[in-house]
Amino acid sequence: MLTLRLVYTKENYMKFLSHLELMKLFERIFRFHQLPLKYSEGFNPIPKMTFAAPLSVGYSSLREVMEVQLSEQLPLERVLAIQFPSGIKIIDASYVNTKKSLMAHLSHAEYLIKVDMKKNIEQLPLKEWIEKFLNAETVTIEKKGKNGKMRSLEILPLINRYEIVYQGETETIFRAVLQSGSQGSLNPEALIEAFFGFYQMAHEIQTIQVERRLLLFTDSDGQLKDIFSLKDDV
Amino acid sequence: MNLEALLHQVEKPSRYIGGEINTFSKEIGDDTIRFCFAFPDVYEVGMSHLGMQIIYSLLNQQKDVFCERTFSPWPDMEALMRENHYKLFSLETKSSIGDMDILGFTLQYELSYTNILNMLNLSGISLYSKDRHDREPLIIAGGPCAYNPEPIADFVDIFFIGEAEEVLLEFLEVYRPYKSGQISKNEMLLKAANIPGLYVPKFYQPTYDESGILLGYQRTEAVPEKISKRFIRNFDEGFTLETMIVPFADIVHDRAMIELFRGCTKGCRFCQAGMLYRPIRERKPETVINTIDKILSSTGFEEISLTSLSTMDYSKIGPLVTDLVEKYEKENISLSLPSLRLDSFSIDVVEEIQKVKKTGLTFAPEAGTQRLRDVINKGVTEANILDTYKNIFSLGWHRVKLYFMIGLPTETTEDLDGISEIANLGTFTFKQVKPEYMKKSVQVTVSTSCFVPKPFTPFQWMAQETVDGFYSKINHLKTKLLNKKVVYNYHDPVTSVLEGVFARGDRRLSKVIETAYFKGCKFDGWAEFFKPKLWDEALKECGIDPDFYTSRERSFDEFLPWDIIDAGINKQYLISEYQKALNADSTADCRDGCTGCGLNVNLIGGPC
């Protein structure tokens, strides 16, 4: 059995596809490009595919990672030539020989977050605000738990990096590296709401647009690395 | 606000984004005819419709035509669009619908009429044909409800009667000189009205007597007296859909579809489709197999549906299914058959396609007694039903769904009781024949729909059951269907009676639809949006008594609103079928000998 690992984008209108819709799309495109797919056993055989991390509807992404099991090797040029609807593009592919699961090893994700405020915030000292925010004793948000009940979540330990990259009249762009995966995740919109909430300005947020830039795992030295490079020996 | 900003705020935004596999994008030049196919319901319903796929593919094969699509936005999206003054748009280029040359609606069910008005309104297009200026799109419509176009005749410029594949292309021939400014809109419409199959209502003015009964239509220009339906004579060699748009969203029928044949020879008297789509025309098995290959290799679908009005009646269904199963089993592509007959042959075929998986089976006895099944000419016997039960339950099925209609002509309490007897026969037979390994218990689901008499059927003159009458029948069934292994579902009578108003309505209903629409009616086919009170108000304000259209029995010599359409079937044949129905006399399948409906003489000029 062969594992084909792919990196793809999800941009423009395609960001509005739900995770289920995206999986169906991959399945169908692989099918009509006659990839030698491996199927699950049972009454409803489905191709064996795994996605590193579902992306929320409305978020775009420059670098999503998924794996599909094949029964025989297909040249990578052929894989890279597979056409998806405009907005989705395969940008890298490789065969991997690892039992490590993308989902289990994912630890962080990097985001660009574009925030549009209802009023002009050009003069606000956002850089200092971020520093003060990150150094606060505690910042908690209310999050729905698995049992459906609201619980409070301490978010500062989940933030690996948080910085401002652009500050305009009403528009600000932040970059953030946030914990993501099975050990707990922080959603970038929740971060922005908590941040502006910290300064009593959450109600001034007009819209938040999110782009995922990278999916990361933590290697044996504690370094964050692109999950596409996940192998048995790292 | 731009479209993306709206999409961030709605449920299921993928309904509005377009760009699915096998959609078209074309350069738009001065002479490009911009056509938008409009389905007056939500994306998931519209995209399941084979006719849309056919027309989309056919039109986009024309060099100078660009066919796009639009659907009814779901109410959450509509509210945002209105709030932000965002007009209805096409999925392909996100163009405002008002920029199209032609907007083509499909009329699949009567309760979608308010959605048509809503789509025009959301596009900023005048509702009434007479109010639209030359810069607004031409509004055309086709589909089964076009066989009685009158209730929406004031809104539509041209109706396409029957199968559209050929006549759409003929119509484009008269549209091109209009597009290039050589002829006026009126000249174009007049030329169109003289193409067989096209009905331009503005050239036909209805006249009524003082009691409101239609007397006939006065022609205001040199146009044909009757509009004859169109059908593809050589279906096997005619336009064949060889690729399909592959939707993102989880639509109702998400699979490859291939039409095995058009038409039906069974002659069920309640069935409008059976009368409208005559004659029967099959595709050759080779054509079917080649076409499926082409569709699958361009779509990646994992299921194939063999469609028709009665798939088990395809003359080579057995060998075809065997071939297809053998060919596609390895690729994990499954086969589905939309309609099953109650006989052992059908069971053999089903067993073939469901070797492992035993999903539920659905059958339609339609009526509870032999007598009533003879009235409606549904050729199913008690022995067929019992044999079917024995077959399926002994093979390991344990769930079965049964469809019936209530409110059929001559129906009595005995016929209703028969429904419960058929259901009980199922649970009883299960216990007798179930295999030893079967540990699950049996479930028989009975669904009843409320019969709506339709134009061009032998029941087109009869009175429809009233809402109260339907309810008392439903309540009677509830007291009879007490068996714990039987589940009873029923369709709401109020919507069926409103459907009945439009099914046999005349042009005076255009005003009622407009009034109801402005009161807030839309998505009337969806229980959660249906507002019967507003419809009552609209009917009253327009001075229209709905009973006139539903519970009034017409005389055979009354001029009916759809008598302007020639569906190829003689009125005399329908009358004789109606009289036979009342005597519970059945009529044989016309494959076994012509039953004289007149189609061969009227439209074919030879044998079917």
Side-chain angles (χ1 to χ4, degrees), chain A residues 15 21 28 31 39 44 58, chain B residues 4 14 300 302 332 357:
Chain A
K15 66 171 169 255
E21 290 167 348
R28 287 182 170 159
R31 222 187 246 281
Y39 288 86
N44 280 314
Chain B
E4 285 205 20
S14 68
E302 53 287 316
N332 289 306
K357 201 166 126 189

Side-chain angles (χ1 to χ4, degrees), chain B residues 515-528:
Chain B
T515 309
Y517 165 62
F518 280 117
K519 283 177 178 292
C521 290
K522 63 188 171 201
F523 282 105
D524 297 302
W526 294 72
E528 67 259 53

Side-chain angles (χ1 to χ4, degrees), chain A residues 12-17 21 24-25 27-29 31-32 39 43-45 57-59 85-86 206 208-209, chain B residues 3-4 7-8 13-14 17 19 21 94 246-249 254 296-297 299-302 331-333 356-357:
Chain A
N12 308 329
Y13 284 113
M14 291 304 126
K15 66 171 169 255
F16 294 108
L17 291 190
E21 290 167 348
K24 196 87 189 165
L25 175 66
E27 179 182 340
R28 287 182 170 159
I29 293 213
R31 222 187 246 281
F32 84 76
Y39 288 86
F43 289 163
N44 280 314
V57 176
Y59 288 14
S86 165
Q206 178 86 37
I208 304 175
Q209 281 182 59
Chain B
L3 179 58
E4 285 205 20
L7 293 180
H8 276 288
S14 68
I17 63 177
I21 304 171
K94 318 288 185 290
V246 185
F248 300 127
D254 197 7
L296 290 179
S297 65
T299 60
F301 280 122
E302 53 287 316
E331 296 175 47
N332 289 306
I333 291 167
V356 205
K357 201 166 126 189

Side-chain angles (χ1 to χ4, degrees), chain A residues 16-17 22 31 41 46 57 65 109 125 144 159 170 184 201:
Chain A
F16 294 108
L17 291 190
L22 184 81
R31 222 187 246 281
E41 306 288 322
I46 50 168
V57 176
V65 181
K144 210 181 230 173
I159 305 172
T170 58
M201 282 187 62

Side-chain angles (χ1 to χ4, degrees), chain B residues 319-440:
Chain B
L320 178 67
V321 166
T322 310
D323 285 356
L324 290 174
V325 167
E326 195 180 325
K327 190 160 179 211
Y328 292 112
E329 212 168 14
K330 300 182 290 295
E331 296 175 47
N332 289 306
I333 291 167
S334 62
L335 205 58
S336 82
L337 305 170
S339 55
L340 293 176
R341 252 178 5 209
L342 278 153
D343 60 22
S344 56
F345 173 69
S346 295
I347 304 308
D348 291 344
V349 174
V350 172
E351 226 204 330
E352 177 87 28
I353 65 171
Q354 296 196 344
K355 279 187 177 142
V356 205
K357 201 166 126 189
K358 297 270 189 280
T359 52
L361 293 178
T362 303
F363 298 97
E366 310 288 8
T369 59
Q370 192 62 55
R371 185 199 66 81
L372 192 54
R373 286 193 295 275
D374 289 340
V375 168
I376 61 174
N377 205 42
K378 177 82 186 181
V380 168
T381 64
E382 251 131 67
N384 290 150
I385 297 173
L386 182 62
D387 286 348
T388 301
Y389 280 145
K390 281 184 181 162
N391 270 310
I392 61 172
F393 292 144
S394 61
L395 287 167
W397 271 275
H398 66 106
R399 276 193 312 220
V400 63
K401 264 191 205 160
L402 303 172
Y403 284 163
F404 295 94
M405 284 184 286
I406 56 171
L408 290 167
T410 76
E411 183 180 58
T412 64
T413 313
E414 198 182 315
D415 300 307
L416 297 174
D417 294 348
I419 294 176
S420 121
E421 280 157 29
I422 291 174
N424 291 338
L425 181 67
T427 61
F428 177 77
T429 311
F430 177 80
K431 278 177 218 147
Q432 294 194 312
V433 304
K434 67 171 180 176
E436 270 182 30
Y437 64 81
M438 177 51 68
K439 297 284 175 276
K440 290 174 181 149

Side-chain angles (χ1 to χ4, degrees), chain B residues 577-591:
Chain B
E577 279 295 295
Y578 184 51
Q579 284 158 344
K580 281 173 86 177
L582 297 181
N583 295 322
D585 274 349
S586 55
T587 295
D589 188 318
C590 71
R591 274 185 210 246

